[in-house]
Amino acid sequence: MDVTSPNGRRAFVELLVNMSLCDDSQLGRDTTMRYLPELRCWQIDCPDSSNDGSSSGVVSPYYFSNIICIADHLLGRHTRFFPATGDRPARKLERGESIMATVVIKDAFALAKRNASEDDRDEVKTLKKIRDTFKRKKPNGILYPKIVVGGRVSFNRGGQPVEDTTSAIYAGANDELLAIVSSDSLFRAHRRIVMKTIGEPLRTVRAVKEFVAVIYDAMKCHYTVVKLCKILHRDISDNNILVVRMKDGTVRGLLIDFDCAIDISKDKEGVRGEMTGTRPFMSLNNLLRSNVTRTSLDDWESMLYLLCWYATIGFGANGDRIEAQEPSTEQKLVKEQERLEQLPIARWRKGTLVAITREKLTNLRSLDNFKRDIVREFNKGTNNKELKDLALEL
């Protein structure tokens, strides 16, 4: 738009006029979230889809005061997590006060099929299947993300409900942009999921024993979900395992984020040749986009990579991991970062997919290579015999 020319100035004026006529949703505002100044918190509308994934029209209000995780990338899922409650606060929160959360809300633009009832990879459907299956079969001692409600978010446009999807967002775009974003493979739907059980990031583990207990719980859940529900997670990573500190002081692990999960009893295409997951923790089968069927062994391989990474950086405040409050912290952090950057395992986390694949192939070519390149570099301050034994066993 060249505003130095008559046509450019006309186009600029037309843009301003059109913007003044837009409703809030067309200007990018999420009208399903509202700030309540009289309570000093936010209200968020959470839909609950029907069993087939289509809209049921049921919407429940929840309340939150802060965000615990946000992925503010221009592209991607734009995932956010809100600790919330279904009870409207009885009074105005004090400055700095947080709502007493009873649930966590996941809000994301996930890849989806245009017809919700045909979307077998819908995380809401997946979590409801797990919940209902576990309710019937009652497996013992499994901690899992228990969905309360969930579905696709809709907003009001011209008096009509409209699903918040990439199609709705780009409805008024020019032909050139529409040609890029209208592909079915790029279609995203705005989903909101309310879940019980609130945890902390995996990085908050304080010792080796805590870490082992957390990943044990997470993979026990993984095994049970595969066995009873025929659902394969396909994205074992540090962001998808939470630390849950129970009231009795015990520490447990929670496997979350079933965005990439598939029903292996139905989805025969997704178990081979499709790349999913988080780069540093992808299995070789995944990285190579092999035609070999993806199984739970690929997720166990991802767990091995996760274990090796945490064993390398160390744990907790008792000398295993460098903490910010320690003396000479800055020098120690710089020195530790320099050490990590030189290790073969650091090359799992940066560079191209080809480079990551080549490095892993080298490190895992033999048991001797694995010991030399990876296990030998486990953090020297960590009481890591258990982790060495576990890594070698895996």
Side-chain angles (χ1 to χ4, degrees), residues 9-23 27:
R9 288 192 290 274
R10 178 184 177 86
F12 181 64
V13 172
E14 288 178 348
L15 174 64
L16 294 178
V17 171
N18 286 333
M19 289 180 66
S20 69
L21 297 175
C22 286
D23 60 30
L27 292 173

Side-chain angles (χ1 to χ4, degrees), residues 59-71:
V59 177
S60 303
Y62 284 81
Y63 304 88
F64 71 92
S65 55
N66 62 303
I67 304 175
I68 55 176
C69 179
I70 184 168

Side-chain angles (χ1 to χ4, degrees), residues 298-340:
D298 289 273
D299 284 354
W300 278 99
E301 185 179 334
S302 295
M303 173 53 65
L304 172 61
Y305 299 147
L306 178 62
L307 184 156
C308 290
W309 176 248
Y310 270 77
T312 302
I313 64 175
F315 303 90
N318 35 322
D320 301 332
R321 180 184 292 155
I322 299 171
E323 298 294 325
Q325 67 269 23
E326 291 183 4
S328 306
T329 293
E330 186 174 349
Q331 291 181 353
K332 287 184 178 182
L333 286 172
V334 170
K335 187 175 180 180
E336 179 64 8
Q337 188 61 38
E338 290 175 349
R339 181 187 79 86
L340 291 174

Side-chain angles (χ1 to χ4, degrees), residues 136-319:
R136 290 195 315 272
K137 300 193 175 181
K138 297 180 173 58
N140 292 325
I142 305 296
L143 194 63
Y144 65 97
K146 298 178 182 177
I147 185 171
V148 181
V149 297
R152 292 189 180 187
V153 176
S154 296
F155 55 83
N156 187 295
R157 179 177 288 177
Q160 297 295 322
V162 177
E163 279 194 353
D164 193 9
T165 65
T166 47
S167 292
I169 292 170
Y170 294 115
N174 59 43
D175 292 341
E176 184 179 356
L177 179 57
L178 280 176
I180 297 173
V181 301
S182 61
S183 167
D184 286 346
S185 62
L186 296 177
F187 179 80
R188 291 180 180 272
H190 187 183
R191 290 198 197 113
R192 199 165 279 162
I193 306 173
V194 180
M195 296 170 285
K196 293 182 180 178
T197 310
I198 301 174
E200 305 170 355
L202 186 58
R203 64 176 180 273
T204 62
V205 290
R206 299 166 185 164
V208 171
K209 288 185 177 180
E210 280 194 1
F211 178 74
V212 172
V214 168
I215 63 171
Y216 170 83
D217 271 341
M219 295 311 289
K220 184 178 180 181
C221 173
H222 178 278
Y223 169 81
T224 308
V225 167
V226 172
K227 181 180 179 181
L228 299 184
C229 309
K230 305 302 179 188
I231 290 171
L232 186 63
H233 189 277
R234 301 199 307 165
D235 190 12
I236 302 297
S237 69
D238 53 350
N239 290 327
N240 293 340
I241 297 176
L242 296 183
V243 180
V244 180
R245 301 190 181 278
M246 311 301 285
K247 291 181 179 180
D248 62 3
T250 58
V251 175
R252 302 201 61 188
L254 178 67
L255 181 63
I256 63 167
D257 198 347
F258 283 76
D259 261 349
C260 296
I262 57 173
D263 186 333
I264 53 179
S265 67
K266 297 179 181 178
D267 196 333
K268 303 303 181 184
E269 294 182 5
V271 295
R272 56 168 64 88
E274 181 184 43
M275 182 178 290
T276 59
T278 307
R279 284 190 177 191
F281 310 111
M282 285 182 178
S283 70
L284 285 168
N285 187 16
N286 191 2
L287 287 167
L288 292 168
R289 297 191 180 184
S290 166
N291 285 327
V292 176
T293 300
R294 294 271 298 279
T295 69
S296 58
L297 290 179
D298 289 273
D299 284 354
W300 278 99
E301 185 179 334
S302 295
M303 173 53 65
L304 172 61
Y305 299 147
L306 178 62
L307 184 156
C308 290
W309 176 248
Y310 270 77
T312 302
I313 64 175
F315 303 90
N318 35 322

